[in-house]
Amino acid sequence: MGDRNGPEHAGLAVKEAGAKPLQELASSGSGLPYDLYTDVYDSSAILSGSENLMLTYSSYEELAQVRYTFPEQALDKKLTEIKEFVSFKYGHFKNTTGSAHDNYFAYRWILEDGIVLEAYRDRKSGEAGLLYMRKDRINYLKAEIEEAKRDKYREQSDAF
């Protein structure tokens, strides 16, 4: 299962780094051939202060998203820490999402290879986090899921 960059390789690397699996192969529940899965790990052993690491990928083993979460009482302070950590490696952020007064606020970096990094805080969920996304893959996978849903509805409507 998986290639060098697929979820199996990523999951193995995460386990080897010391993360403990909490939940693996959790489906989004669509029951379609194109489904998204999320593996959740306790990441406290590999990234100080973090709680969970989530790997999201398709049934075709395309890794689309990685998310670290940092549950904190002081979300704005934790967001600033994450922003500074990412800025040290990737420079100044490209843009922001939301405003400082919104429930969801994020700093966003767009890397040369199209990867998007987002340091965020979400007051509704009570977490701060760091999100690594392959926007091209996420959009592609969502389009494939929607097409599979349409195909399934067409097949069912032909039965009438």
Side-chain angles (χ1 to χ4, degrees):
M1 180 179 163
D3 59 24
R4 284 186 35 85
N5 298 315
E8 180 181 83
H9 180 73
L12 182 60
V14 166
K15 289 176 191 174
E16 287 176 353
K20 294 180 180 88
L22 298 175
Q23 183 177 20
E24 295 182 297
L25 291 174
S27 168
S28 63
S30 72
L32 298 169
Y34 302 100
D35 210 347
L36 294 177
Y37 297 88
T38 301
D39 294 345
V40 182
Y41 300 89
D42 174 343
S43 62
S44 59
I46 58 175
L47 185 58
S48 178
S50 70
E51 180 180 56
N52 291 324
L53 168 61
M54 291 162 269
L55 302 177
T56 300
Y57 53 92
S58 76
S59 52
Y60 291 105
E61 302 179 5
E62 295 177 273
L63 187 62
Q65 182 172 286
V66 177
R67 178 189 307 260
Y68 280 98
T69 59
F70 302 79
E72 285 285 327
Q73 296 292 349
L75 293 177
D76 291 324
K77 180 181 177 199
K78 181 52 79 176
L79 174 61
T80 300
E81 289 175 16
I82 298 168
K83 177 188 73 147
E84 289 171 1
F85 171 77
V86 176
S87 292
F88 181 76
K89 183 167 185 175
Y90 296 105
H92 191 69
F93 57 90
K94 175 91 173 157
N95 56 39
T96 60
T97 301
S99 76
H101 302 291
D102 292 340
N103 282 329
Y104 188 86
F105 180 70
Y107 297 100
R108 183 174 282 175
W109 291 258
I110 301 170
L111 307 182
E112 289 179 16
D113 57 3
I115 292 172
V116 176
L117 294 175
E118 192 171 277
Y120 70 91
R121 66 108 170 95
D122 186 344
R123 289 187 178 128
K124 281 189 175 183
S125 68
E127 71 182 26
L130 178 59
L131 182 62
Y132 162 105
M133 296 180 281
R134 289 291 311 259
K135 279 287 216 187
D136 56 340
R137 287 189 184 173
I138 292 170
N139 292 336
Y140 172 77
L141 295 173
K142 286 180 180 177
E144 289 293 322
I145 290 169
E146 288 305 310
E147 182 60 31
K149 283 181 186 177
R150 284 191 289 277
D151 289 346
K152 185 176 181 180
Y153 294 146
R154 278 187 213 114
E155 288 173 15
Q156 290 175 351
S157 67
D158 288 345
F160 292 109

